[in-house]
Amino acid sequence: MSAKLWGGRFHGQVSDLMRRFNDSIAFDIRLWEADIRGSIAYAQALARAGVISQQEAEALVRGLEMVRAEFAEGRFQVQPDDEDIHTAVERRLKELVGEVAGKLHTGRSRNDQVATDLRLFALDGLRDIQRALCEVQRALLAQARPHVHTLMPGYTHLQRAQPISFAHWCMGYFWQFARDAERMDDCARRIAIMPLGSGALAGNPFRLDRRFLAQALGFPAVTCNALDGVSARDFVAELLFCWALLGVHLSRLAEDLIVYSSAEFGFVTFDDAYATGSSLMPQKRNPDAMELVRGKAGRLIGDLISVLVVLKGLPTSYNKDLQEDKPPLFDALDTLALALPVVAGAVRSLKVNVARMRAALDPAMLATDVAEYLVRKGVPFRQAHHLTGRAVALAEARGVPLNALPLADWQAISPHFEADVLGVFDFERSLASRDVVGGTSPRAVRAQIRQAERWLKKRQCPADE
Ligand code: ARG
């Protein structure tokens, strides 16, 4: 007789090749904790429905606790016939408590079981990633605080655009990550819906109290349709989207820091803990950590695409293709669980080269301020832009910085330019003038930092100090 859980209607043995192809224990063993949690609640729900006796439920729970301890202590032995985590747990349970183990699966299918396990697992993973992301945000905030007055060129098209503070740059990333965290909150609401009690596809025939079951497992809601309950994996796709997008944001941060750490920029220096050398060129100090972060974004996007492609074209309810939902989910979780602390550490320990940032400022970056000067004198902006452009061209033709253009030249371009135009060439003043909510002025950035601190506090991830 086949040792398989589903072996009854089979005469022959499954080939070794098929076994290797079909088995998922190698990766879904990670669901052990969720699987046992689900089974303990299920045993209690079966007793509540009168399907098994209270003593039987207690025996099952006791046995499941023993299996849990074996996993927790690394003592669990996977056997060759353990097809997946669900069969492995049940097999071991039977060895520990005997025939009563055969009652646990009453009315349950691995279809509603695995969907439930995966949702429990995904919720835990989501919280872990949110916690790790919080550390990245705290690191950005810690860098922002002392650099509200640290001037650097702000770029568009990677061309010097306008002066900003380094704190302004830090906070720009803080808010991207805040949205990523909130996006995960929203996703969690849709993950936290319990499919258990859906059976294979048609529902449970034993008057199971699904709401009781959901409560026991910490799910605020139950799925509304058993077919949908066993086949839905949009929660996986959605979570992988949240993580892919987070990966993209991390990648952009990494790219900035790679550029800023180059000798050409020299704005920041990575701590030795997050830099690496070259095996050939002794002088090299490579930003491998950030390059890997940038590379991992590709992997996270790939994980999302894998799941979307698996789902596309699947007929209703459970199909074995769905077993392929797990490797990408696990991979994305592991990737971020490692990348986020690296980013947090690298950002926190980053040395900011204030003088190099300052030296990269060019008076031409205040051309917009010159145009704004004219606007304050009543010149329409379009015209002011044009006149300032002529001054820039003239300075270029004369080979001098914009602020070295003599007053006569300014006045030849427009009589609206008066002696005080040279007062525009003050980077601090330019910064201070952008004092709107969200602007780069020290006051506005300080307000932003306070807002960020409140945001973190509300999420029980308080900023340092
Ligand atoms: N290992 C399977 C998976 O991960 C469990 C569900 C199996 N269900 C089935 N009807 N064969 O999807």
Side-chain angles (χ1 to χ4, degrees):
M1 204 185 94
S2 167
K4 290 268 179 211
L5 284 180
W6 38 261
R9 56 106 61 237
F10 288 84
H11 301 295
Q13 290 286 330
V14 71
S15 78
D16 259 357
L17 191 60
M18 175 54 189
R19 185 199 303 265
R20 268 173 27 226
F21 192 53
N22 189 48
D23 287 0
S24 53
I25 186 74
F27 51 88
D28 66 19
I29 193 157
R30 294 183 64 169
L31 298 176
W32 67 267
E33 207 272 331
D35 195 72
I36 293 172
R37 242 198 291 169
S39 285
I40 288 176
Y42 195 73
Q44 286 159 343
L46 283 178
R48 228 175 115 90
V51 180
I52 61 174
S53 71
Q54 199 52 49
Q55 293 89 300
E56 287 172 322
E58 277 161 25
L60 288 173
V61 172
R62 227 177 304 120
L64 286 163
E65 301 281 16
M66 286 158 75
V67 182
R68 168 144 63 193
E70 289 185 6
F71 272 107
E73 291 156 23
R75 290 187 282 115
F76 188 91
Q77 302 267 345
V78 174
Q79 298 302 323
D81 263 319
D82 291 343
E83 182 179 321
D84 55 26
I85 183 61
H86 326 293
T87 51
V89 170
E90 194 177 323
R91 186 264 310 154
R92 184 62 185 141
L93 181 65
K94 187 171 170 195
E95 289 168 4
L96 290 169
V97 303
E99 289 305 325
V100 66
K103 294 197 171 187
L104 175 62
H105 212 51
T106 312
R108 187 171 68 167
S109 158
R110 277 184 294 162
N111 300 354
D112 57 348
Q113 188 178 1
V114 72
T116 304
D117 290 3
L118 201 58
R119 284 175 188 261
L120 288 171
F121 180 89
L123 283 171
D124 284 347
L126 181 150
R127 300 288 172 228
D128 289 346
I129 295 307
Q130 282 183 319
R131 265 192 296 276
L133 180 56
C134 227
E135 292 306 317
V136 173
Q137 292 179 288
R138 296 178 65 202
L140 283 166
L141 209 53
Q143 281 291 6
R145 257 187 235 109
H147 291 295
V148 166
H149 291 279
T150 301
L151 286 157
M152 68 181 275
Y155 298 85
T156 61
H157 312 265
L158 211 54
Q159 308 289 317
R160 287 173 187 166
Q162 290 185 308
I164 59 171
S165 69
F166 182 62
H168 189 64
W169 177 90
C170 292
M171 296 311 293
Y173 280 100
F174 180 96
W175 296 114
Q176 294 180 47
F177 296 135
R179 288 194 299 282
D180 288 326
E182 288 171 2
R183 195 172 288 112
M184 281 187 257
D185 284 346
D186 194 48
C187 180
R189 289 195 300 115
R190 278 179 292 279
I191 303 177
I193 304 174
M194 186 195 71
L196 201 56
S198 296
L201 76 166
N204 185 291
F206 294 109
R207 297 179 154 277
L208 200 74
D209 185 346
R210 291 188 69 207
R211 283 179 211 289
F212 163 81
L213 198 48
Q215 218 167 33
L217 288 172
F219 284 106
V222 301
T223 51
C224 298
N225 177 294
L227 273 180
D228 180 43
V230 296
S231 70
R233 292 293 185 276
D234 41 314
F235 74 92
V236 179
E238 193 178 345
L239 183 55
L240 286 176
F241 171 74
C242 292
W243 288 352
L245 189 56
L246 167 57
V248 168
H249 290 158
L250 290 168
S251 178
R252 295 183 71 172
L253 170 81
E255 168 64 10
D256 272 0
L257 292 179
I258 289 166
V259 171
Y260 293 167
S261 70
S262 68
E264 283 72 11
F265 279 75
F267 291 178
V268 296
T269 310
F270 289 107
D271 189 82
D272 282 357
Y274 297 96
T276 40
S278 157
S279 57
L280 182 87
M281 299 162 282
Q283 88 285 9
K284 289 292 292 284
R285 182 183 181 80
N286 292 330
D288 291 38
M290 292 302 110
E291 291 168 277
L292 279 168
V293 167
R294 196 173 55 185
K296 303 276 185 199
R299 188 166 166 165
L300 292 166
I301 293 167
D303 289 330
L304 165 63
I305 301 301
S306 296
V307 166
L308 287 175
V309 176
V310 165
L311 293 181
K312 177 201 165 297
L314 276 194
T316 296
S317 103
Y318 184 83
N319 299 269
K320 196 59 172 261
D321 317 42
L322 290 176
Q323 183 162 285
E324 293 296 317
D325 58 0
K326 284 168 234 34
L329 182 71
F330 296 159
D331 182 69
L333 175 64
D334 294 344
T335 299
L336 280 173
L338 205 53
L340 286 166
V342 168
V343 173
V347 167
R348 206 175 256 284
S349 60
L350 203 63
K351 185 169 154 267
V352 180
N353 305 324
V354 175
R356 285 294 301 265
M357 288 182 172
R358 174 96 200 181
L361 295 173
D362 166 357
M365 296 179 66
L366 297 175
T368 311
D369 299 66
V370 172
E372 288 155 3
Y373 160 92
L374 288 180
V375 165
R376 291 196 174 96
K377 302 225 166 192
V379 180
F381 180 74
R382 275 296 145 231
Q383 207 181 324
H385 185 285
H386 184 79
L387 294 170
T388 308
R390 283 182 49 201
V392 171
L394 189 59
E396 253 173 35
R398 294 197 197 275
V400 295
L402 187 58
N403 60 339
L405 214 54
L407 186 59
D409 280 346
W410 288 103
Q411 289 185 328
I413 293 169
S414 165
H416 292 290
F417 285 123
E418 294 171 69
D420 59 350
V421 67
L422 293 175
V424 170
F425 293 96
D426 177 337
F427 296 117
E428 269 77 15
R429 206 170 118 178
S430 166
L431 205 74
S433 74
R434 318 224 174 262
D435 198 35
V436 70
V437 174
T440 192
S441 82
R443 201 198 57 84
V445 173
R446 260 190 243 103
Q448 208 185 128
I449 289 174
R450 280 194 299 276
Q451 197 183 343
E453 285 166 348
R454 284 195 296 276
W455 186 94
L456 282 174
K457 199 163 159 207
K458 238 190 7 234
R459 301 184 65 90
Q460 344 268 269
C461 176
D464 2 313
E465 281 143 347

